[in-house]
Amino acid sequence: MATVKPFKAIRPTKDKAFYVASRSYEEYSKDELQAVLKYNPFSFLHIINPGFKFEKHITGQERFHLVRNRYLEFLEENIFQKDDAPSFYLYQIVKEDFKSLGFFCACSVEDYRNDVIKKHEDTLQEREELFADYLDTVGFNAEPVLMTYADNDEVNAIFQRKIKRVPEYDFTTVDRVNHKLWKISYPEGIEKLEKAFAQMDALYIADGHHRSASSDLLAKHLEKENSSHNGQEPYNYFMAYLIPESQMRIYEFNRMVKDLNGFSKKEFLIQLDEYFMIEKETSGLCRPTKKHEFCMYLKDEFYKLHLRKTNYQFTDALSELDTQILFKTILEPILGIKDLRNDKRISYGYGKHNLIKMKEDVDKGKFEVGFSLVPTTVEEIKAIADAGLVMPPKSTYIEPKLRSGLAIYEL
């Protein structure tokens, strides 16, 4: 039984939504970030980069307090408004080759604790505590956790009726992505959505494991401090964006390694022969076409690696995952990479053009070898989450990527 709850969003006024909405901070180059901050006073980036106002790089608690101040300024200057009634917020993203239609809602930390909200990645305690402290100080949640659910006809019918109406927002950003947002605030629609999700056994985190873990940690802290805690306080929920499985797109992360751990090219290929049938690819760029098949670029040549299933044992859902197979057969035993998060010898790349970049980087000598994989599937994510297992880092790059600042949840 999954809980979804409407909330009174803080969001930009209709005339400023285009200017407020921003991509994730990490997606901006240094020059692009400075240009947006200099020429767009309404960008949400001003809130999360409060040091720009003072021409100073600010970190820690000082930054957290200034983020809070910039947020309050946006409210005082009527860049942001608070809705009068609790609502769900239907948000559609359309670009050239992809469309998603999901909704912002509040999800329960209790569901997270009880494994109704299922995860497939480990989190780092230090990052959990840092973000929990951030949320406690700034008092709002602007980065929703991306979650997915099994396609549901009743939910889809509600959405399809709603998108026939005039949206609250309708704008296209400079990257040619169209954004539309509708409010679902009428009691019948809210009740139908709540009941539909109450009949679902689980929701699955696609992106935002640290954000959900931090919200849970903050809720535990605030509960201890609140002698009149009743379970309905805003801190018992966190903002999420929910989309059906069919509208989530998953890309692969390729792996690039800086050296062969002391092996020559011939010695390395001999080591690979233990677990793989090796086929030299002569037709140009090599892309894997199925599970348990890998493409490797090594010193000017592409190879296809076909897993020898007689030598590798499948024991659970994790052992069947290609990123885990690559780790257990090559990266760890041959190349000596044991810590996929922190080892500086390995890098990751994603996107439909990354195979070309991977080849170029190996040719330039930045890396000795690169591996290309097929994307992880939704079914694999769910199987691993259902089994309580954890994927290797950088197993998935998931879309949609949401704009920040369109809906904010106050704690």
Side-chain angles (χ1 to χ4, degrees):
M1 176 176 176
T3 301
V4 296
K5 182 179 178 179
F7 65 100
K8 297 178 182 179
I10 306 294
R11 56 192 184 86
T13 56
K14 191 170 185 177
D15 62 315
K16 295 184 178 66
F18 169 82
Y19 301 101
V20 170
S22 71
R23 306 196 308 274
S24 173
Y25 172 76
E26 292 81 7
E27 292 186 26
Y28 291 88
S29 68
K30 184 178 179 180
D31 289 343
E32 187 181 12
L33 179 64
Q34 289 300 307
V36 173
L37 291 170
K38 184 176 181 179
Y39 296 109
N40 180 4
F42 304 121
S43 173
F44 186 74
L45 292 171
H46 281 284
I47 293 178
I48 57 177
N49 292 268
F52 177 80
K53 183 175 182 178
F54 305 100
E55 298 182 350
K56 180 183 177 183
H57 179 65
I58 300 172
T59 60
Q61 275 293 332
E62 184 181 20
R63 174 179 172 266
F64 297 171
H65 285 291
L66 289 176
V67 167
R68 175 68 180 172
N69 291 346
R70 294 292 83 71
Y71 170 69
L72 293 176
E73 284 179 6
F74 270 50
L75 283 168
E76 292 163 2
E77 294 172 358
N78 295 318
I79 300 169
F80 281 158
Q81 62 185 5
K82 183 171 184 176
D83 282 332
D84 296 328
S87 305
F88 292 120
Y89 299 88
L90 190 58
Y91 176 38
Q92 183 183 71
I93 301 171
V94 180
K95 58 183 184 178
E96 184 178 355
D97 60 345
F98 179 59
K99 176 191 289 189
S100 71
L101 179 65
F103 73 109
F104 294 108
C105 65
C107 285
S108 167
V109 295
E110 196 67 31
D111 281 356
Y112 178 80
R113 294 169 190 168
N114 294 333
D115 205 33
V116 175
I117 294 174
K118 293 181 178 290
K119 44 196 173 290
H120 63 264
E121 286 185 8
D122 269 340
T123 54
L124 302 174
Q125 184 177 354
E126 182 179 357
R127 287 187 62 190
E128 288 181 27
E129 293 174 349
L130 180 66
F131 193 60
D133 189 24
Y134 171 82
L135 292 174
D136 192 25
T137 303
V138 304
F140 65 86
N141 186 334
E143 298 292 338
V145 176
L146 177 65
M147 291 196 277
T148 189
Y149 59 90
D151 286 54
N152 182 285
D153 290 339
E154 185 175 2
V155 172
N156 185 56
I158 296 171
F159 290 173
Q160 292 304 314
R161 285 195 297 271
K162 189 64 181 179
I163 63 175
K164 293 178 181 177
R165 298 178 177 270
V166 177
E168 295 280 317
Y169 305 144
D170 183 356
F171 61 89
T172 299
T173 44
V174 293
D175 53 359
R176 301 185 180 183
V177 179
N178 180 252
H179 305 265
K180 292 179 182 177
L181 183 141
W182 297 261
K183 282 174 59 178
I184 299 178
S185 54
Y186 60 102
E188 182 185 0
I190 289 174
E191 183 180 2
K192 284 184 176 180
L193 283 173
E194 289 177 331
K195 286 184 176 179
F197 280 88
Q199 295 172 9
M200 296 184 189
D201 294 329
L203 302 174
Y204 293 85
I205 298 175
D207 188 19
H209 286 80
H210 280 94
R211 276 166 272 161
S212 47
S214 299
S215 296
D216 178 36
L217 181 61
L218 176 62
K220 290 174 181 175
H221 289 167
L222 295 179
E223 180 179 343
K224 289 180 181 178
E225 297 174 359
N226 184 1
S227 58
S228 57
H229 172 83
N230 61 26
Q232 294 305 308
E233 295 86 355
Y235 59 74
N236 293 289
Y237 299 86
F238 59 92
M239 186 168 66
Y241 178 71
L242 272 56
I243 55 171
E245 293 171 7
S246 63
Q247 296 192 32
M248 186 170 71
R249 180 168 292 186
I250 306 174
Y251 296 95
E252 73 280 6
F253 268 102
N254 295 329
R255 275 90 165 115
M256 292 81 71
V257 182
K258 290 185 176 180
D259 61 72
L260 298 182
N261 199 27
F263 292 108
S264 67
K265 177 179 178 179
K266 289 182 179 179
E267 291 170 338
F268 181 60
L269 289 172
I270 290 172
Q271 292 290 319
L272 295 181
D273 193 69
E274 173 71 17
Y275 285 108
F276 297 95
M277 294 178 286
I278 305 170
E279 174 188 353
K280 187 178 290 188
E281 181 66 41
T282 59
S283 59
L285 288 176
C286 172
R287 294 183 184 274
T289 58
K290 57 186 178 182
K291 279 174 61 67
H292 311 331
E293 177 183 277
F294 306 86
C295 281
M296 177 179 71
Y297 188 64
L298 173 66
K299 294 187 183 298
D300 303 322
E301 293 183 304
F302 274 108
Y303 297 85
K304 271 193 178 179
L305 307 180
H306 306 273
L307 183 68
R308 295 184 190 274
K309 297 179 182 178
T310 52
N311 287 6
Y312 181 88
Q313 298 299 313
F314 297 122
T315 56
D316 54 26
L318 179 60
S319 68
E320 296 191 22
L321 193 70
D322 281 350
T323 52
Q324 180 73 357
I325 292 171
L326 191 67
F327 175 58
K328 286 298 183 182
T329 59
I330 301 177
L331 299 179
E332 183 181 43
I334 301 175
L335 295 177
I337 296 173
K338 302 183 184 302
D339 185 347
L340 292 171
R341 291 186 184 276
N342 300 308
D343 196 315
K344 302 300 183 185
R345 296 168 56 224
I346 187 169
S347 293
Y348 304 88
Y350 65 86
K352 60 184 179 182
H353 301 302
N354 183 254
L355 184 62
I356 296 173
K357 187 176 187 305
M358 181 181 81
K359 178 183 182 301
E360 290 175 347
D361 286 346
V362 172
D363 288 340
K364 291 175 183 177
K366 293 181 179 179
F367 303 98
E368 283 290 315
V369 63
F371 300 94
S372 179
L373 302 77
V374 295
T376 303
T377 65
V378 173
E379 290 73 25
E380 289 176 311
I381 292 175
K382 291 173 66 176
I384 287 171
D386 288 340
L389 300 170
V390 176
M391 289 184 176
K394 304 293 185 184
S395 287
T396 57
Y397 179 84
I398 295 175
E399 287 192 335
K401 297 298 181 187
L402 311 179
R403 287 300 196 272
S404 297
L406 292 179
I408 295 172
Y409 178 77
E410 283 199 315
L411 297 167

